[in-house]
Amino acid sequence: MVLALTVCGVVVALVVVGLFVFGLRRRLIQRSGGTFNCSLRWDVPETPDTSGKGWSYGVARYNGDRVEWFRVFSYAPRPRRTLERASIEVAGRRLPEGEEELALLSDAVILTCVHRGTRLELAMSDDALTGFLAWLEAAPPGQRVNVA
């Protein structure tokens, strides 16, 4: 009986520590400011896929001329993807359709981009989209920015 209680106590303690580390990681990512909720789908086909598959929920952070994207459900301290401002080309925007509406946040707008030859989709709120497009257009003089 004592062994069962000890094992249960250890499991509960590990779950609490795991949740604490998730929260601490998110807090550290947001500490420098300039973050927004952003789902990402990498290497998508030219025709829109509305099945809802392939989306990963995350947090994006502006860092100079880059946007760093972190998965929410990860312990990794480094970003999963890094997008350089000069390499991002916006190909279009659309609203979620079909099963995508269930896979994404309720107020999401999908932005289709090309980054170094790879098509990707970013889903974010309308406010975050406005900020993202303003950030893209605010490139230093002499840099090429492609916003459709």
Side-chain angles (χ1 to χ4, degrees), residues 21-38 57-63 67-81:
V21 170
F22 266 136
L24 179 64
R25 177 180 171 268
R26 173 97 183 221
R27 187 84 170 133
L28 290 173
I29 290 169
Q30 292 179 325
R31 181 178 62 181
S32 65
T35 61
F36 57 97
N37 293 327
C38 178
Y57 185 64
V59 175
R61 176 177 68 188
Y62 297 110
N63 187 2
V67 169
E68 299 171 333
W69 184 82
F70 299 83
R71 292 179 67 111
V72 166
F73 302 109
S74 171
Y75 291 111
R78 295 192 175 164
R80 174 77 178 209
R81 302 280 183 199

Short mmCIF file of all heavy atoms in Angstrom, two decimals, residues 21-38 57-63 67-81:
data_model
loop_
_atom_site.label_atom_id
_atom_site.label_comp_id
_atom_site.label_asym_id
_atom_site.label_seq_id
_atom_site.Cartn_x
_atom_site.Cartn_y
_atom_site.Cartn_z
N VAL A 21 7.02 23.48 -16.01
CA VAL A 21 8.05 23.74 -17.01
C VAL A 21 7.42 24.27 -18.30
O VAL A 21 7.96 25.19 -18.92
CB VAL A 21 8.90 22.47 -17.27
CG1 VAL A 21 9.82 22.65 -18.47
CG2 VAL A 21 9.70 22.12 -16.03
N PHE A 22 6.24 23.72 -18.71
CA PHE A 22 5.53 24.27 -19.87
C PHE A 22 5.23 25.75 -19.66
O PHE A 22 5.47 26.58 -20.53
CB PHE A 22 4.19 23.55 -20.08
CG PHE A 22 4.25 22.41 -21.05
CD1 PHE A 22 3.62 21.23 -20.75
CD2 PHE A 22 4.90 22.52 -22.26
CE1 PHE A 22 3.63 20.17 -21.63
CE2 PHE A 22 4.94 21.47 -23.15
CZ PHE A 22 4.30 20.29 -22.83
N GLY A 23 4.68 26.08 -18.50
CA GLY A 23 4.34 27.48 -18.21
C GLY A 23 5.57 28.36 -18.15
O GLY A 23 5.55 29.49 -18.65
N LEU A 24 6.63 27.88 -17.54
CA LEU A 24 7.87 28.66 -17.44
C LEU A 24 8.48 28.90 -18.82
O LEU A 24 8.90 30.02 -19.13
CB LEU A 24 8.88 27.92 -16.54
CG LEU A 24 10.23 28.60 -16.36
CD1 LEU A 24 10.06 29.93 -15.64
CD2 LEU A 24 11.17 27.68 -15.60
N ARG A 25 8.47 27.89 -19.67
CA ARG A 25 9.00 28.04 -21.02
C ARG A 25 8.21 29.09 -21.79
O ARG A 25 8.78 29.96 -22.44
CB ARG A 25 8.94 26.69 -21.74
CG ARG A 25 9.40 26.76 -23.19
CD ARG A 25 9.30 25.37 -23.83
NE ARG A 25 9.53 25.45 -25.25
CZ ARG A 25 8.58 25.61 -26.17
NH1 ARG A 25 7.31 25.68 -25.80
NH2 ARG A 25 8.87 25.66 -27.44
N ARG A 26 6.89 29.03 -21.70
CA ARG A 26 6.06 30.01 -22.40
C ARG A 26 6.34 31.41 -21.88
O ARG A 26 6.42 32.38 -22.63
CB ARG A 26 4.58 29.64 -22.23
CG ARG A 26 3.59 30.64 -22.74
CD ARG A 26 3.12 30.27 -24.11
NE ARG A 26 2.21 31.26 -24.64
CZ ARG A 26 1.13 30.98 -25.31
NH1 ARG A 26 0.80 29.73 -25.53
NH2 ARG A 26 0.37 31.93 -25.79
N ARG A 27 6.50 31.53 -20.58
CA ARG A 27 6.79 32.84 -19.98
C ARG A 27 8.14 33.38 -20.45
O ARG A 27 8.27 34.57 -20.73
CB ARG A 27 6.78 32.69 -18.46
CG ARG A 27 6.90 33.95 -17.71
CD ARG A 27 5.54 34.57 -17.58
NE ARG A 27 5.64 35.67 -16.65
CZ ARG A 27 5.13 36.85 -16.88
NH1 ARG A 27 4.44 37.07 -17.96
NH2 ARG A 27 5.28 37.81 -16.02
N LEU A 28 9.13 32.50 -20.55
CA LEU A 28 10.45 32.93 -21.02
C LEU A 28 10.42 33.35 -22.49
O LEU A 28 11.09 34.29 -22.89
CB LEU A 28 11.48 31.82 -20.81
CG LEU A 28 11.85 31.53 -19.36
CD1 LEU A 28 12.75 30.31 -19.27
CD2 LEU A 28 12.51 32.74 -18.71
N ILE A 29 9.62 32.64 -23.31
CA ILE A 29 9.49 33.01 -24.72
C ILE A 29 8.84 34.39 -24.83
O ILE A 29 9.26 35.23 -25.62
CB ILE A 29 8.66 31.95 -25.48
CG1 ILE A 29 9.46 30.66 -25.61
CG2 ILE A 29 8.26 32.46 -26.86
CD1 ILE A 29 8.64 29.49 -26.11
N GLN A 30 7.83 34.65 -24.03
CA GLN A 30 7.08 35.90 -24.10
C GLN A 30 7.77 37.05 -23.38
O GLN A 30 7.37 38.20 -23.54
CB GLN A 30 5.68 35.72 -23.53
CG GLN A 30 4.82 34.83 -24.39
CD GLN A 30 3.45 34.64 -23.79
OE1 GLN A 30 3.28 34.58 -22.58
NE2 GLN A 30 2.45 34.54 -24.65
N ARG A 31 8.80 36.77 -22.62
CA ARG A 31 9.46 37.79 -21.81
C ARG A 31 9.98 38.96 -22.63
O ARG A 31 9.88 40.11 -22.23
CB ARG A 31 10.59 37.15 -21.01
CG ARG A 31 11.33 38.12 -20.11
CD ARG A 31 12.38 37.43 -19.32
NE ARG A 31 13.36 36.85 -20.22
CZ ARG A 31 14.40 36.16 -19.83
NH1 ARG A 31 14.59 35.95 -18.55
NH2 ARG A 31 15.25 35.66 -20.69
N SER A 32 10.54 38.66 -23.80
CA SER A 32 11.11 39.74 -24.60
C SER A 32 10.06 40.53 -25.38
O SER A 32 10.39 41.50 -26.04
CB SER A 32 12.15 39.17 -25.57
OG SER A 32 11.52 38.31 -26.49
N GLY A 33 8.81 40.12 -25.31
CA GLY A 33 7.73 40.85 -26.00
C GLY A 33 7.66 40.50 -27.47
O GLY A 33 8.46 39.73 -27.99
N GLY A 34 6.67 41.06 -28.15
CA GLY A 34 6.52 40.83 -29.58
C GLY A 34 6.12 39.42 -29.93
O GLY A 34 6.58 38.87 -30.92
N THR A 35 5.25 38.79 -29.12
CA THR A 35 4.81 37.43 -29.40
C THR A 35 3.34 37.42 -29.78
O THR A 35 2.59 38.32 -29.42
CB THR A 35 5.02 36.52 -28.18
OG1 THR A 35 4.25 37.00 -27.09
CG2 THR A 35 6.47 36.42 -27.79
N PHE A 36 2.95 36.39 -30.52
CA PHE A 36 1.55 36.20 -30.87
C PHE A 36 1.29 34.72 -31.12
O PHE A 36 2.20 33.97 -31.50
CB PHE A 36 1.17 37.04 -32.11
CG PHE A 36 2.00 36.77 -33.34
CD1 PHE A 36 1.55 35.91 -34.33
CD2 PHE A 36 3.23 37.39 -33.51
CE1 PHE A 36 2.30 35.67 -35.46
CE2 PHE A 36 3.99 37.17 -34.65
CZ PHE A 36 3.53 36.29 -35.63
N ASN A 37 0.05 34.29 -30.89
CA ASN A 37 -0.33 32.91 -31.16
C ASN A 37 -0.38 32.70 -32.66
O ASN A 37 -0.96 33.50 -33.39
CB ASN A 37 -1.70 32.59 -30.55
CG ASN A 37 -1.66 32.62 -29.04
OD1 ASN A 37 -0.65 32.28 -28.44
ND2 ASN A 37 -2.74 33.02 -28.43
N CYS A 38 0.23 31.62 -33.12
CA CYS A 38 0.34 31.39 -34.56
C CYS A 38 0.46 29.89 -34.82
O CYS A 38 1.39 29.25 -34.35
CB CYS A 38 1.58 32.12 -35.08
SG CYS A 38 1.89 31.91 -36.83
N TYR A 57 0.08 24.02 -33.41
CA TYR A 57 -0.20 25.22 -32.64
C TYR A 57 1.10 25.73 -32.01
O TYR A 57 1.89 24.95 -31.49
CB TYR A 57 -1.24 24.92 -31.56
CG TYR A 57 -1.67 26.13 -30.80
CD1 TYR A 57 -2.34 27.16 -31.42
CD2 TYR A 57 -1.41 26.23 -29.44
CE1 TYR A 57 -2.73 28.29 -30.73
CE2 TYR A 57 -1.81 27.34 -28.74
CZ TYR A 57 -2.47 28.37 -29.38
OH TYR A 57 -2.85 29.48 -28.68
N GLY A 58 1.31 27.04 -32.09
CA GLY A 58 2.54 27.58 -31.55
C GLY A 58 2.47 29.05 -31.19
O GLY A 58 1.42 29.67 -31.26
N VAL A 59 3.62 29.56 -30.82
CA VAL A 59 3.79 30.96 -30.48
C VAL A 59 4.93 31.49 -31.34
O VAL A 59 5.98 30.87 -31.44
CB VAL A 59 4.15 31.13 -28.99
CG1 VAL A 59 4.44 32.57 -28.65
CG2 VAL A 59 3.05 30.60 -28.10
N ALA A 60 4.69 32.62 -31.98
CA ALA A 60 5.73 33.25 -32.81
C ALA A 60 6.24 34.49 -32.08
O ALA A 60 5.50 35.15 -31.36
CB ALA A 60 5.17 33.62 -34.17
N ARG A 61 7.53 34.76 -32.28
CA ARG A 61 8.16 35.91 -31.61
C ARG A 61 9.00 36.67 -32.62
O ARG A 61 9.79 36.08 -33.36
CB ARG A 61 9.03 35.41 -30.46
CG ARG A 61 9.81 36.50 -29.77
CD ARG A 61 10.61 35.98 -28.62
NE ARG A 61 11.70 35.12 -29.07
CZ ARG A 61 12.46 34.41 -28.25
NH1 ARG A 61 12.23 34.42 -26.95
NH2 ARG A 61 13.43 33.66 -28.72
N TYR A 62 8.80 37.99 -32.65
CA TYR A 62 9.64 38.84 -33.48
C TYR A 62 11.01 38.97 -32.82
O TYR A 62 11.09 39.22 -31.62
CB TYR A 62 9.03 40.23 -33.64
CG TYR A 62 7.70 40.24 -34.34
CD1 TYR A 62 6.53 40.52 -33.64
CD2 TYR A 62 7.60 39.96 -35.70
CE1 TYR A 62 5.30 40.53 -34.27
CE2 TYR A 62 6.38 39.97 -36.35
CZ TYR A 62 5.24 40.25 -35.63
OH TYR A 62 4.03 40.26 -36.26
N ASN A 63 12.06 38.80 -33.61
CA ASN A 63 13.41 38.94 -33.10
C ASN A 63 14.26 39.61 -34.19
O ASN A 63 14.86 38.93 -35.01
CB ASN A 63 13.98 37.58 -32.70
CG ASN A 63 15.32 37.69 -32.01
OD1 ASN A 63 15.82 38.79 -31.78
ND2 ASN A 63 15.91 36.56 -31.68
N VAL A 67 11.32 36.02 -37.55
CA VAL A 67 10.21 35.56 -36.73
C VAL A 67 10.58 34.16 -36.29
O VAL A 67 10.86 33.29 -37.12
CB VAL A 67 8.87 35.55 -37.50
CG1 VAL A 67 7.80 34.83 -36.71
CG2 VAL A 67 8.41 36.96 -37.80
N GLU A 68 10.61 33.95 -34.99
CA GLU A 68 10.94 32.63 -34.45
C GLU A 68 9.63 31.97 -34.03
O GLU A 68 8.82 32.57 -33.33
CB GLU A 68 11.87 32.76 -33.25
CG GLU A 68 13.18 33.41 -33.61
CD GLU A 68 14.03 33.75 -32.41
OE1 GLU A 68 13.47 33.97 -31.31
OE2 GLU A 68 15.25 33.80 -32.57
N TRP A 69 9.43 30.72 -34.46
CA TRP A 69 8.18 30.01 -34.17
C TRP A 69 8.48 28.83 -33.25
O TRP A 69 9.35 28.01 -33.53
CB TRP A 69 7.53 29.52 -35.45
CG TRP A 69 6.22 28.87 -35.22
CD1 TRP A 69 5.01 29.48 -35.05
CD2 TRP A 69 5.97 27.47 -35.09
NE1 TRP A 69 4.04 28.54 -34.83
CE2 TRP A 69 4.60 27.31 -34.86
CE3 TRP A 69 6.77 26.34 -35.16
CZ2 TRP A 69 4.00 26.05 -34.69
CZ3 TRP A 69 6.20 25.10 -34.99
CH2 TRP A 69 4.83 24.96 -34.75
N PHE A 70 7.78 28.79 -32.11
CA PHE A 70 7.94 27.75 -31.10
C PHE A 70 6.67 26.91 -31.02
O PHE A 70 5.57 27.47 -30.98
CB PHE A 70 8.17 28.38 -29.71
CG PHE A 70 9.39 29.24 -29.60
CD1 PHE A 70 9.36 30.56 -30.01
CD2 PHE A 70 10.55 28.73 -29.07
CE1 PHE A 70 10.48 31.37 -29.89
CE2 PHE A 70 11.68 29.54 -28.95
CZ PHE A 70 11.64 30.86 -29.36
N ARG A 71 6.81 25.61 -30.96
CA ARG A 71 5.64 24.75 -30.70
C ARG A 71 5.20 24.97 -29.27
O ARG A 71 6.02 25.11 -28.37
CB ARG A 71 6.02 23.29 -30.90
CG ARG A 71 6.32 22.91 -32.32
CD ARG A 71 6.70 21.45 -32.40
NE ARG A 71 5.57 20.61 -32.08
CZ ARG A 71 4.94 19.84 -32.96
NH1 ARG A 71 5.37 19.78 -34.18
NH2 ARG A 71 3.90 19.14 -32.60
N VAL A 72 3.90 24.96 -29.06
CA VAL A 72 3.39 25.14 -27.70
C VAL A 72 3.67 23.90 -26.86
O VAL A 72 4.12 23.98 -25.73
CB VAL A 72 1.88 25.46 -27.72
CG1 VAL A 72 1.27 25.32 -26.33
CG2 VAL A 72 1.65 26.87 -28.22
N PHE A 73 3.40 22.72 -27.41
CA PHE A 73 3.54 21.49 -26.66
C PHE A 73 4.91 20.87 -26.88
O PHE A 73 5.07 19.82 -27.50
CB PHE A 73 2.43 20.51 -27.03
CG PHE A 73 1.07 21.08 -26.78
CD1 PHE A 73 0.25 21.45 -27.83
CD2 PHE A 73 0.62 21.30 -25.49
CE1 PHE A 73 -0.99 22.00 -27.60
CE2 PHE A 73 -0.62 21.85 -25.25
CZ PHE A 73 -1.43 22.19 -26.30
N SER A 74 5.92 21.57 -26.37
CA SER A 74 7.30 21.14 -26.50
C SER A 74 8.08 21.71 -25.33
O SER A 74 7.72 22.73 -24.77
CB SER A 74 7.88 21.65 -27.82
OG SER A 74 9.26 21.41 -27.87
N TYR A 75 9.15 21.02 -24.97
CA TYR A 75 10.04 21.53 -23.93
C TYR A 75 11.28 22.19 -24.52
O TYR A 75 12.13 22.69 -23.80
CB TYR A 75 10.49 20.39 -23.00
CG TYR A 75 9.38 19.84 -22.14
CD1 TYR A 75 8.88 18.56 -22.35
CD2 TYR A 75 8.84 20.60 -21.13
CE1 TYR A 75 7.87 18.06 -21.56
CE2 TYR A 75 7.82 20.10 -20.34
CZ TYR A 75 7.34 18.84 -20.55
OH TYR A 75 6.33 18.35 -19.78
N ALA A 76 11.40 22.19 -25.85
CA ALA A 76 12.59 22.72 -26.52
C ALA A 76 12.74 24.23 -26.25
O ALA A 76 11.80 24.98 -26.43
CB ALA A 76 12.51 22.48 -28.02
N PRO A 77 13.92 24.66 -25.84
CA PRO A 77 14.13 26.09 -25.57
C PRO A 77 14.36 26.91 -26.84
O PRO A 77 14.24 28.13 -26.81
CB PRO A 77 15.37 26.10 -24.69
CG PRO A 77 16.12 24.88 -25.09
CD PRO A 77 15.08 23.85 -25.48
N ARG A 78 14.67 26.25 -27.94
CA ARG A 78 14.94 26.95 -29.19
C ARG A 78 13.74 26.87 -30.12
O ARG A 78 12.94 25.94 -30.04
CB ARG A 78 16.15 26.34 -29.87
CG ARG A 78 17.39 26.54 -29.04
CD ARG A 78 18.61 26.21 -29.80
NE ARG A 78 19.77 26.54 -28.96
CZ ARG A 78 20.96 26.11 -29.17
NH1 ARG A 78 21.19 25.32 -30.20
NH2 ARG A 78 21.95 26.45 -28.37
N PRO A 79 13.63 27.84 -31.03
CA PRO A 79 12.50 27.82 -31.96
C PRO A 79 12.56 26.63 -32.91
O PRO A 79 13.64 26.19 -33.31
CB PRO A 79 12.62 29.14 -32.73
CG PRO A 79 14.03 29.57 -32.55
CD PRO A 79 14.51 29.00 -31.25
N ARG A 80 11.39 26.13 -33.26
CA ARG A 80 11.30 25.02 -34.22
C ARG A 80 11.59 25.51 -35.64
O ARG A 80 12.21 24.82 -36.43
CB ARG A 80 9.91 24.42 -34.11
CG ARG A 80 9.58 23.35 -35.09
CD ARG A 80 10.23 22.06 -34.70
NE ARG A 80 9.85 21.04 -35.67
CZ ARG A 80 9.76 19.78 -35.38
NH1 ARG A 80 10.02 19.37 -34.17
NH2 ARG A 80 9.43 18.92 -36.28
N ARG A 81 11.09 26.71 -35.96
CA ARG A 81 11.31 27.31 -37.28
C ARG A 81 11.72 28.77 -37.10
O ARG A 81 11.24 29.45 -36.19
CB ARG A 81 10.03 27.28 -38.13
CG ARG A 81 9.46 25.93 -38.37
CD ARG A 81 10.19 25.23 -39.47
NE ARG A 81 9.54 23.93 -39.72
CZ ARG A 81 10.12 22.94 -40.34
NH1 ARG A 81 11.32 23.08 -40.80
NH2 ARG A 81 9.49 21.81 -40.52
#
